[in-house]
């Protein structure tokens, strides 16, 4: 199992974060998905290709890209 950090754009509220978390959690191979609205990231654990996660988030109407884990821990740039 590996950890993938995604930068998610387009989330504006808690409902957005819950939607992103739901679609990520429903992606085959995902064991756990957590979305942090304030930092604009998702942390996903499982055996899944990052492209599958990006496709799921994009289909839900948000933007997504693989984030550098170090920068994700620090939060968005000021």
């Amino acid at each position: 199992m590996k950890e993938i950090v995604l930068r998610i754009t387009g989330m504006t509220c808690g409902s957005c974060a819950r939607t992103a978390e739901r679609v990520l959690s429903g992606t085959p191979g995902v064991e756990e998905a957590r979305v942090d609205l304030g930092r604009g990231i998702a942390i996903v654990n499982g055996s899944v290709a990052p492209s599958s996660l990006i496709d799921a988030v994009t289909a839900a109407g948000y933007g997504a890209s693989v984030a550098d884990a170090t920068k994700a821990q620090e939060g968005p740039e000021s």
Side-chain angles (χ1 to χ4, degrees):
M1 185 165 61
K2 62 183 175 178
E3 181 175 276
I4 300 168
V5 179
L6 297 177
R7 176 95 33 217
I8 301 179
T9 58
M11 296 188 301
T12 59
C13 63
S15 179
C16 294
R18 286 188 297 277
T19 297
E21 193 168 277
R22 186 179 71 247
V23 299
L24 289 168
S25 294
T27 302
V30 171
E31 298 291 326
E32 178 185 24
R34 298 179 316 275
V35 174
D36 185 324
L37 175 63
R39 294 186 345 197
I41 64 166
I43 301 170
V44 181
N45 292 296
S47 299
V48 60
S51 60
S52 296
L53 300 173
I54 291 169
D55 289 347
V57 172
T58 301
Y62 307 104
S65 61
V66 176
D68 176 62
T70 303
K71 288 182 182 177
Q73 289 174 1
E74 295 169 1
E77 294 181 46
S78 300

